[in-house]
Amino acid sequence: MENRKTIHKWFWVWSFEKEEDWLNEMAMNGWVLESVGFSTFHFVRCEPGEYSIRLEMHPYDETYLSFMKDTGAEYIGRVFMWIYFRKKTVDGPFDLFSDMDSRISHLDRIGKMLFAIGGANLLIGLVNCLSPARIGWINLLCATLLMYGLGRIHGKKEALEKERLLHE
């Protein structure tokens, strides 16, 4: 029986929960994430349900990695701004966000990144539309897609803010 496998799979930034759910489903089926690359996931055999996987958009920070290690979480790797952790399920629940405000802050970081990259693509697209090559449509398409993602993140953030108001 094969003990390692690699899967190439794409997830949109605004669907990070789907990615996390898929990684945890793989762990429930006996395949835990061992390392990660751009749209590339390397798995190794484990006991089904032995690990929980979490991911977060977070800048590189040795202090944060050390803190996570102290909680029992293992650093798996990172792709751009996304950082991946795993933790044995016998050690108890594993959540990167301790409260509603930290979840909202995480969505806010994602939203700011999408806004910056989407805005840059919009500006570049408009400038390129004025050039003789007229290839600005590519950047405008990217800007549209990123702004769609921003809307999805904003909707998730608003839902959490409404939920927070209900609990106050």
Side-chain angles (χ1 to χ4, degrees):
M1 180 170 19
E2 194 67 32
N3 286 329
R4 296 184 185 288
K5 71 176 167 180
T6 299
I7 297 176
H8 301 280
K9 193 169 173 104
W10 175 264
F11 291 94
W12 296 106
V13 170
W14 52 90
S15 300
F16 67 93
E17 293 106 337
K18 287 182 182 179
E19 181 177 358
E20 191 174 87
D21 290 345
W22 176 70
L23 291 168
N24 281 297
E25 184 181 319
M26 292 294 290
M28 286 300 293
N29 291 323
W31 291 100
V32 68
L33 187 64
E34 181 180 43
S35 64
V36 65
F38 181 72
S39 299
T40 304
F41 302 88
H42 303 280
F43 296 92
V44 64
R45 275 264 178 226
C46 69
E47 289 297 317
E50 183 179 2
Y51 287 94
S52 291
I53 310 293
R54 296 288 177 253
L55 60 126
E56 174 184 15
M57 178 180 274
H58 197 285
Y60 184 80
D61 180 353
E62 279 292 330
T63 305
Y64 182 66
L65 294 179
S66 178
F67 165 75
M68 291 304 295
K69 185 177 181 180
D70 291 344
T71 69
E74 296 176 59
Y75 170 77
I76 298 170
R78 66 182 308 115
V79 177
F80 302 114
M81 293 285 292
W82 289 94
I83 191 166
Y84 294 74
F85 295 101
R86 69 183 183 194
K87 186 175 180 180
K88 291 200 176 235
T89 54
V90 297
D91 294 340
F94 180 34
D95 199 355
L96 295 176
F97 309 108
S98 58
D99 59 9
M100 198 76 67
D101 288 333
S102 62
R103 291 180 193 283
I104 291 169
S105 177
H106 183 243
L107 292 173
D108 197 41
R109 283 193 305 270
I110 297 169
K112 287 177 181 176
M113 183 268 310
L114 288 171
F115 181 77
I117 297 172
N121 270 280
L122 178 62
L123 183 61
I124 292 167
L126 291 173
V127 169
N128 282 341
C129 281
L130 301 174
S131 74
R134 303 228 183 254
I135 59 168
W137 65 271
I138 295 171
N139 293 100
L140 294 175
L141 182 64
C142 287
T144 302
L145 185 63
L146 292 165
M147 291 303 137
Y148 167 78
L150 178 61
R152 296 285 305 269
I153 291 296
H154 183 71
K156 291 175 186 183
K157 184 178 162 190
E158 274 189 340
L160 284 176
E161 288 171 340
K162 285 180 185 176
E163 187 178 334
R164 181 179 59 191
L165 287 174
L166 290 173
H167 291 102
E168 288 181 349

